[in-house]
Amino acid sequence: MARYAYAPLSVEEGRGGGGRRSLPHDAAAEADRSAKVNERMPMFVGMCVLVAITFVLSRSPQAAAPAAAAGGVNAAVAATGGGGNVATVPEGTATVDAGSSGGGGGAAYESRPSSVIAEKKKNDNLPVIQISPPDSDIPAAAAAAAAADPAPPPCDCDGRVDPASIDIGELRAKALASTPPHIIECSAASDGESQSACHLPPSARYAALKQKGATLWMTGCSGAGKTTIATALEDRLVKAYGKHVYRLDGDNLRTGINRDLTFTEADRAESVRRTGEIATLFADAGVITLVGLISPYREDRDLVRKRHEDQGIPFYEIFLDVPVEELKKRDPKGQYARVESGELRHFTCIDDPYEPPVEPEITLRTHELKIEESADILFRRLEMDGILEGAPKLSPPGLPNPDGDEVIDLHVPEHLKAERRAEAEGLPKVLITDLDLNWLQVIGEGWASPLKGFMREGTLLEVLHFNSILVDPFNLTDNVNMQSSTTDFQTFKEFRPPDRVSMSVPITLSCTSYTRDLIESSPDNSVALTTQMGNVVAILRNPEIYPNRKEEIVTRMFGAIDPGHPYIEQIYNGGEYLIGGEVELLDRITYNDGLDKWRKTSKELMAEFEEKGADTVYAFQTRNPTHAGHAYLMRSAGENLKKEGGYKNPVLWLSPLGGWTKEDDVPLDVRVKQHEEVLNSGLEHPGGLDPATTVMAIWPSPMVYAGPTEVQFHAKSRRSAGASYFVVGRDPAGMKGSHQAVAHKDDDLYDGDHGRYVLQNSPGIGSMKMLSFVKVMYDIADNVMKVPDESRLQDFISISGSKMRLLARNGAVPCSATDIPTDLVDANCVPSGFMVPKGWDIVVDYYRNIDAGRWIPWSRPVVDPGADSRTKVGEKKFGSLDFRLMHKDYESFWHDIPMKPSGGEGNVINFVTEIPLRMTAKMEVQKALPNNPISQDSNDDGSPRYYTYGTPFFNYGFIPQTWEDPNLKDSLGNGGDNDPLDVMEIGSRRLDMGSITPCRVLGHLELIDEGEMDNKVICISLSDPDVNSILTMDDLERVKPGTTDRLRDWLKRYKTSDGKAENSLAGEDVTSVTEAMELIDETHQRWKNLCGKGTGTVSTEDHGFWLEAAGCKG
């Protein structure tokens, strides 16, 4: 904190009177004292005289008439202070209207001839509005009165200075030109620092006020509209936006601070200077200051500009450029008429000069604009430059700051990536689903600003109860880290954060007790977020684990009871705990699905808007193909923003939703490819869009179908990437209730009008504005989609979404342009203007092949399976049920690969990896398919199966040439599970899918899974770094403490996260190596029996296995 103090004075400069004894000093000091006194005394005397004169004049208005009689015209005007009673001015003298004078920029005055002004202010390179002066500068009556009066008697001043002989203007100029007063405001500035060191920093002041200070200096001739426009702007800023605004003009200046000033050249300049100083202080205090002065001289205005620039304060010179002839027509106070009649002389812009600005920030030709239009131009400029926001401008001109006034980009910098990846390898692994990956992308790329991670409990509570969160980005209340700190339910700060930003949708990460225990037992205060395919994508810091109160979240979020709702199912399927914490993305999230070029971060998107020169952006979200009706609405919105909003280059953001969606939504790739054709068609087709003014970018968020609650997030998220407008239709983010819904079975869960209403009035939505859909229909007369003409409704037909889908499934062809039937379905045709032709072909292809399985429903990573180099992959991509992995050297993974490597140890087996370390895709060898490939298992509903309990800390697979025969019973009567013998490899390295790895057996656990004996052999790869240290299970516990308990927990509970009962173990202890090898030998013998090569027989032949491999038949 700066210390305030006067600068130290020397003894010579101190007070020596009042009987106080001076201390002795040497001659040099005395000489220095005398020099200072001599230097300052004239200035001091002059200022005292100025104060005295000002006091006398201000206290004696009744003396104006006698003074005028004694001193002529100049004395009369001086006596009035420029605002005195005009009745005291001698007849014939030009009267001055203080309200029109502009506080030092007065239109009429009698102080000096205009020729003098013109000569002094002349600049050959700059224009000057100057009418030749009349022959006489002083009206005849005034001149006669002056001549009739005798000269004033000499001053009896007793040897003192005659006040009448003092040129106040000259004295003032000298004072201003001298050095600043020898007083320093605070000690922090004593070493030459700026005086700002002693004040609250502007950034903190502006952030608290939620606006920046600025001066709008309106200059122009009398009657140009300065006061009128300033009043209109002030009214709008104060009433509609709650901003601190103040107007400075002749009315409030000449009745106070400028009351002592006349209309002499010096006083007019002083009036402008004082006004400029006041405006500087007001603006520095965060006030938007509107100055309305004629201020005719550039030099004076330029000095005010420089004063603002020196202080770092925005200054806008606004020239009201109106022709004199137009001003004469307006003449609101009748002054121009008085000039014409000769009653007023030396009127600025008529017979006194006005020097127009050379390069004003804004020029208003108010005779061509309505008052509201002029005010709107000024408003837009303030908005574009970020003056109406207290935070620093973080976005391009015209585009809004992200929510929370912070650009969020959580990608690890390039130079730290290797270090962070190495750190992540050693951290506890937390499983995230593909839906969680979508949310991670939303967070990391800034779409949920100012959120920096998965929500902590406190943040979640704010979201659920208020649809918004409190933030303090500039630490005004010492709460800058509130949302990124562990929730404290006992201690609260004295002040709450000052700002509330929109945040209506919970963004949480669930986990099971398995993951919770893993985190809580770890010495690390960070975890590595790992995808279903085993890829580590982010680090989460300072994890906060808290209960997943699913019912509370669902009821607060959706306001509906519908267990069959697709996203509600996702919530209930999540783990019993939630993890909050801030994230760091180790790399950009990509999906490798051919659509990544349309995925742009919020920062990249804002840069693209800037590149296109956007002065505003309006976003249109899509979950369906874009037809001509949509295109009409988007183009119309752009035109309206130009016409009614005053924008010059509004840019459309075509924003297809890219995250998780329900099964029956139109796939992402279909929508994006159809949108591409819409852009390729340009404006040549009524269903096309102009690529020059359109940006297409996938919005990465999942869809949660929460109606009015969700649409707030849709809008807020778009603002974080630069959109100021959001197009919203009927029932945004809604859907029909499922057959399990309590109140709305197969009917809209939400009222169609509620979403738009809630969005307009939601907390924290800020300055974002909504553009509503209007109903459009197809005009068969013009072959375009547009708003129906009430006078000819018979020419308009409706093409609903359901009708479009039916036409596409039927492969409808274009209708005749001249004969469009009213029943399109019966005619099986679609009007040519309904959708761009190539876009329609894409839609038809999808609906006619909807079950082909080649579509990309939503953003899910297409990853390499990480297969061994000796394997080969079928035609279908990894992640689908049709994926097949086969070996190049062996016809069958199960039958042809030997159970043991040749020449190996007695307790070493061949381990075939089905599921690599950390991968959750449930891969397994297919016993019934030809060649027994490895592919993904399926759930009961036919979807691909994934582990959901957590991230596996082991490689999982099987021992070839083994079989757990259902007829082989354990001591409890449980038979084998009819599969090859399962293996859990507990090394630290990830083994490739399909790889064949020699593995040392350590023992086994017998799992009882739904009444079946499912033995799990535990081994360690011979290539693992710890293999020489781990020979037994005891060694495993010594080298990797807790591993056995984690294996038991996994085997018992890994299905509980899918809603199934716990498994059990036949015994808690891991068997010995010998017992495990006996089991392996037994299952090998059973496999031989299955292939018909053993000594025993298989009791049934209806197993359905493929046994044609050479290893089985030979």
Side-chain angles (χ1 to χ4, degrees):
M1 176 69 71
R3 292 185 297 106
Y4 292 83
Y6 289 102
L9 296 177
S10 67
V11 173
E12 294 88 340
E13 296 177 90
R15 291 186 289 272
R20 184 173 180 177
R21 183 170 59 89
S22 299
L23 298 177
H25 288 278
D26 57 24
E30 179 64 23
D32 181 65
R33 185 188 73 81
S34 299
K36 289 181 177 178
V37 171
N38 293 333
E39 174 186 354
R40 296 174 183 175
M41 185 57 68
M43 183 190 308
F44 176 78
V45 171
M47 294 303 295
C48 289
V49 171
L50 175 61
V51 171
I53 293 173
T54 302
F55 177 81
V56 170
L57 292 177
S58 65
R59 299 288 291 178
S60 307
Q62 68 276 10
V73 174
N74 287 346
V77 176
T80 67
N85 189 336
V86 296
T88 65
V89 181
E91 183 179 356
T93 301
T95 59
V96 177
D97 185 336
S100 66
S101 68
Y109 56 94
E110 295 290 339
S111 61
R112 75 255 191 245
S114 59
S115 58
V116 175
I117 299 172
E119 179 178 354
K120 182 169 183 179
K121 299 289 185 176
K122 184 176 180 182
N123 185 326
D124 294 337
N125 297 322
L126 300 176
V128 177
I129 299 175
Q130 172 67 62
I131 306 298
S132 297
D135 293 336
S136 175
D137 286 333
I138 303 176
D149 291 333
C155 172
D156 184 9
C157 299
D158 194 21
R160 295 179 178 85
V161 177
D162 182 355
S165 67
I166 297 175
D167 186 334
I168 299 300
E170 181 180 356
L171 186 64
R172 186 189 300 122
K174 288 182 178 179
L176 292 173
S178 66
T179 57
H182 194 55
I183 293 178
I184 298 177
E185 187 174 350
C186 71
S187 58
S190 61
D191 296 328
E193 295 181 27
S194 168
Q195 293 291 331
S196 63
C198 307
H199 294 281
L200 185 70
S203 58
R205 183 189 303 277
Y206 296 160
L209 295 175
K210 297 179 175 57
Q211 68 178 66
K212 300 181 184 70
T215 294
L216 281 70
W217 191 281
M218 302 185 195
T219 176
C221 299
S222 178
K226 299 181 292 296
T227 299
T228 302
I229 294 169
T231 301
L233 180 61
E234 180 184 39
D235 190 74
R236 179 176 182 180
L237 289 172
V238 173
K239 293 180 180 179
Y241 292 87
K243 300 304 176 184
H244 302 279
V245 184
Y246 198 77
R247 283 189 299 112
L248 297 173
D249 57 22
D251 291 335
N252 53 22
L253 291 170
R254 283 208 174 267
T255 57
I257 189 70
N258 288 346
R259 184 179 178 185
D260 61 308
L261 300 180
T262 70
F263 291 93
T264 65
E265 178 184 356
D267 278 8
R268 293 174 66 134
E270 174 63 7
S271 173
V272 172
R273 187 193 72 81
R274 290 183 188 179
T275 305
E277 288 293 332
I278 295 170
T280 302
L281 291 173
F282 276 25
D284 186 49
V287 178
I288 298 171
T289 310
L290 311 178
V291 178
L293 298 182
I294 293 175
S295 46
Y297 302 114
R298 292 190 195 96
E299 179 183 348
D300 298 339
R301 298 192 304 265
D302 288 346
L303 288 173
V304 174
R305 176 190 291 277
K306 184 176 186 304
R307 183 76 173 117
H308 281 73
E309 290 174 348
D310 290 345
Q311 297 297 313
I313 298 170
F315 179 84
Y316 300 88
E317 188 175 30
I318 301 163
F319 176 35
L320 277 66
D321 184 9
V322 184
V324 172
E325 292 306 314
E326 179 66 28
L327 296 173
K328 290 179 179 179
K329 293 178 184 177
R330 292 182 181 179
D331 201 9
K333 298 182 180 179
Q335 291 179 322
Y336 287 96
R338 295 167 67 191
V339 172
E340 290 287 332
S341 68
E343 183 180 353
L344 284 181
R345 307 288 298 276
H346 304 300
F347 194 83
T348 304
C349 298
I350 300 298
D351 53 0
D352 254 18
Y354 175 81
E355 299 172 355
V358 180
E359 294 182 357
E361 277 71 19
I362 299 172
T363 297
L364 296 177
R365 299 180 64 82
T366 60
H367 57 296
E368 299 173 354
L369 298 166
K370 297 177 182 178
I371 295 172
E372 295 78 9
E373 291 174 332
S374 294
D376 195 59
I377 290 172
L378 301 182
F379 176 85
R380 293 297 177 205
R381 180 60 181 269
L382 294 176
E383 187 178 48
M384 179 173 290
D385 290 352
I387 302 299
L388 304 184
E389 303 293 335
K393 186 67 174 169
L394 304 175
S395 54
L399 307 189
N401 270 3
D403 263 9
D405 296 311
E406 188 175 3
V407 175
I408 302 297
D409 182 355
L410 303 178
H411 294 88
V412 172
E414 191 67 35
H415 68 283
L416 294 177
K417 284 184 177 179
E419 177 184 326
R420 293 289 191 272
R421 287 195 183 104
E423 178 190 1
E425 282 299 314
L427 295 175
K429 304 300 185 293
V430 172
L431 171 65
I432 62 172
T433 66
D434 288 345
L435 190 154
D436 295 330
L437 183 66
N438 292 162
W439 283 126
L440 179 64
Q441 184 179 7
V442 168
I443 297 166
E445 293 182 355
W447 301 100
S449 62
L451 201 63
K452 297 177 182 176
F454 287 100
M455 290 178 179
R456 297 178 179 275
E457 190 169 14
T459 305
L460 175 61
L461 287 173
E462 290 188 56
V463 170
L464 292 177
H465 289 267
F466 311 123
N467 282 1
S468 57
I469 59 174
L470 289 169
V471 295
D472 185 9
F474 305 103
N475 207 26
L476 301 177
T477 60
D478 195 29
N479 282 294
V480 66
N481 295 318
M482 177 176 172
Q483 303 298 342
S484 56
S485 300
T486 301
T487 305
D488 185 351
F489 290 107
Q490 305 302 322
T491 306
F492 300 94
K493 295 285 184 69
E494 181 179 3
F495 300 104
R496 295 193 311 171
D499 298 330
R500 185 174 291 281
V501 300
S502 179
M503 190 74 73
S504 63
V505 173
I507 303 179
T508 58
L509 177 62
S510 73
C511 72
T512 63
S513 58
Y514 165 81
T515 301
R516 178 205 60 185
D517 295 344
L518 181 66
I519 296 172
E520 292 181 346
S521 64
S522 170
D524 300 296
N525 197 31
S526 301
V527 298
L529 302 185
T530 308
T531 68
Q532 292 174 278
M533 296 307 184
N535 298 319
V536 177
V537 292
I539 294 175
L540 184 145
R541 304 290 186 187
N542 188 25
E544 175 182 339
I545 302 175
Y546 57 99
N548 186 1
R549 301 175 65 87
K550 301 176 184 180
E551 187 173 37
E552 180 181 354
I553 292 173
V554 167
T555 52
R556 286 263 175 201
M557 181 177 175
F558 293 92
I561 302 174
D562 183 3
H565 184 289
Y567 199 84
I568 291 176
E569 286 183 336
Q570 295 288 334
I571 293 175
Y572 277 111
N573 287 338
E576 58 267 46
Y577 299 96
L578 296 175
I579 307 173
E582 291 62 58
V583 299
E584 300 174 21
L585 271 61
L586 299 180
D587 211 337
R588 186 183 187 123
I589 294 176
T590 57
Y591 296 92
N592 303 313
D593 56 2
L595 304 177
D596 282 332
K597 68 176 181 178
W598 298 112
R599 294 185 174 97
K600 301 163 187 177
T601 68
S602 60
K603 284 178 62 176
E604 291 170 340
L605 198 52
M606 202 170 281
E608 189 165 351
F609 293 144
E610 183 177 23
E611 185 179 341
K612 284 187 175 290
D615 54 1
T616 194
V617 174
Y618 60 108
F620 188 96
Q621 175 174 297
T622 68
R623 277 196 297 136
N624 287 293
T626 296
H627 57 61
H630 300 132
Y632 170 84
L633 292 171
M634 287 184 262
R635 291 196 303 266
S636 297
E639 292 302 316
N640 287 338
L641 288 172
K642 288 181 181 179
K643 182 178 179 181
E644 299 176 8
Y647 296 105
K648 295 181 179 179
N649 189 34
V651 168
L652 166 66
W653 173 10
L654 185 61
S655 182
L657 183 140
W660 177 91
T661 55
K662 55 189 175 69
E663 291 181 354
D664 59 350
D665 276 7
V666 179
L668 175 61
D669 59 334
V670 174
R671 287 181 280 127
V672 170
K673 290 175 182 177
Q674 193 269 347
H675 296 346
E676 289 183 79
E677 295 303 332
V678 169
L679 291 174
N680 290 338
S681 294
L683 299 179
E684 295 181 0
H685 189 279
L689 294 170
D690 184 2
T693 58
T694 304
V695 172
M696 184 169 75
I698 294 173
W699 183 54
S701 176
M703 189 78 187
V704 301
Y705 307 97
T709 296
E710 182 178 9
V711 73
Q712 297 172 62
F713 181 69
H714 289 184
K716 165 251 173 40
S717 186
R718 277 20 184 263
R719 182 171 64 243
S720 292
S724 296
Y725 294 86
F726 183 64
V727 182
V728 58
R730 188 181 182 280
D731 194 21
M735 63 170 289
K736 292 186 181 299
S738 76
H739 67 280
Q740 300 180 56
V742 172
H744 301 283
K745 289 182 173 64
D746 300 318
D747 193 11
D748 292 342
L749 282 175
Y750 308 103
D751 185 283
D753 294 324
H754 287 185
R756 283 182 293 197
Y757 182 87
V758 168
L759 183 56
Q760 290 281 5
N761 298 285
S762 61
I765 202 65
S767 60
M768 191 158 200
K769 300 174 181 64
M770 310 308 146
L771 302 175
S772 292
F773 271 102
V774 294
K775 184 178 181 180
V776 294
M777 300 176 69
Y778 195 86
D779 185 349
I780 60 176
D782 293 339
N783 264 319
V784 293
M785 297 281 284
K786 60 185 179 183
V787 177
D789 184 343
E790 295 292 335
S791 65
R792 53 183 187 91
L793 290 178
Q794 70 278 4
D795 290 337
F796 290 84
I797 59 175
S798 174
I799 307 177
S800 65
S802 57
K803 183 181 290 186
M804 181 201 74
R805 290 187 287 272
L806 179 58
L807 289 169
R809 279 195 294 270
N810 294 339
V813 297
C815 302
S816 167
T818 58
D819 184 18
I820 300 175
T822 56
D823 190 339
L824 300 177
V825 176
D826 184 63
N828 197 32
C829 71
V830 61
S832 60
F834 175 69
M835 188 180 291
V836 298
K838 291 185 178 179
W840 178 249
D841 292 342
I842 292 171
V843 174
V844 169
D845 180 41
Y846 165 65
Y847 279 106
R848 303 202 79 180
N849 299 280
I850 197 168
D851 297 322
R854 53 185 168 93
W855 315 109
I856 301 172
W858 47 282
S859 296
R860 304 187 70 179
V862 177
V863 300
D864 186 280
D868 186 82
S869 60
R870 293 168 294 175
T871 61
K872 54 185 178 182
V873 177
E875 296 180 358
K876 302 299 182 179
K877 64 184 179 182
F878 180 49
S880 71
L881 293 178
D882 296 324
F883 171 81
R884 301 286 184 268
L885 182 70
M886 292 161 285
H887 205 280
K888 294 178 180 178
D889 302 330
Y890 298 102
E891 186 178 14
S892 166
F893 279 109
W894 185 18
H895 301 304
D896 292 342
I897 299 171
M899 183 189 74
K900 291 184 177 182
S902 59
E905 303 175 26
N907 60 338
V908 173
I909 48 88
N910 276 328
F911 166 59
V912 177
T913 303
E914 294 170 310
I915 307 173
L917 177 71
R918 300 197 295 264
M919 183 180 288
T920 63
K922 183 62 175 71
M923 311 301 294
E924 61 180 26
V925 66
Q926 297 298 312
K927 304 183 297 293
L929 293 180
N931 306 111
N932 307 121
I934 293 173
S935 66
Q936 192 162 358
D937 193 11
S938 62
N939 293 309
D940 294 338
D941 63 0
S943 60
R945 183 182 172 194
Y946 293 88
Y947 290 131
T948 59
Y949 189 54
T951 300
F953 59 97
F954 46 81
N955 293 288
Y956 191 83
F958 68 96
I959 301 175
Q961 297 186 347
T962 61
W963 177 50
E964 292 203 76
D965 187 349
N967 294 309
L968 177 62
K969 306 292 183 179
D970 66 3
S971 59
L972 301 175
N974 300 300
D977 68 349
N978 211 24
D979 287 331
L981 193 57
D982 294 328
V983 177
M984 304 171 83
E985 192 278 325
I986 47 75
S988 58
R989 290 179 175 175
R990 184 172 182 170
L991 302 177
D992 292 339
M993 186 184 298
S995 61
I996 304 167
T997 306
C999 203
R1000 177 184 295 144
V1001 174
L1002 304 177
H1004 86 279
L1005 286 165
E1006 182 183 330
L1007 175 70
I1008 308 302
D1009 185 354
E1010 298 181 3
E1012 294 180 338
M1013 179 175 57
D1014 188 3
N1015 288 287
K1016 308 295 180 182
V1017 173
I1018 302 169
C1019 75
I1020 184 169
S1021 167
L1022 295 188
S1023 61
D1024 191 83
D1026 294 321
V1027 66
N1028 293 326
S1029 302
I1030 300 176
L1031 303 177
T1032 65
M1033 290 300 296
D1034 290 338
D1035 294 335
L1036 177 61
E1037 281 303 300
R1038 177 176 50 79
V1039 177
K1040 297 184 177 185
T1043 301
T1044 305
D1045 286 340
R1046 292 176 67 193
L1047 287 170
R1048 293 191 191 101
D1049 178 85
W1050 180 278
L1051 292 174
K1052 289 178 182 180
R1053 306 195 70 241
Y1054 78 96
K1055 288 185 178 181
T1056 59
S1057 55
D1058 297 323
K1060 297 182 179 181
E1062 282 193 22
N1063 297 323
S1064 61
L1065 295 174
E1068 290 293 318
D1069 295 330
V1070 180
T1071 65
S1072 66
V1073 174
T1074 300
E1075 291 174 295
M1077 292 307 302
E1078 289 175 354
L1079 171 67
I1080 294 170
D1081 289 338
E1082 176 63 32
T1083 56
H1084 179 60
Q1085 185 60 46
R1086 295 282 173 162
W1087 170 80
K1088 287 184 176 179
N1089 294 340
L1090 178 67
C1091 290
K1093 301 191 300 181
T1095 57
T1097 59
V1098 175
S1099 61
T1100 179
E1101 297 294 335
D1102 60 356
H1103 47 68
F1105 299 155
W1106 186 79
L1107 304 175
E1108 301 302 313
C1112 187
K1113 295 174 66 176

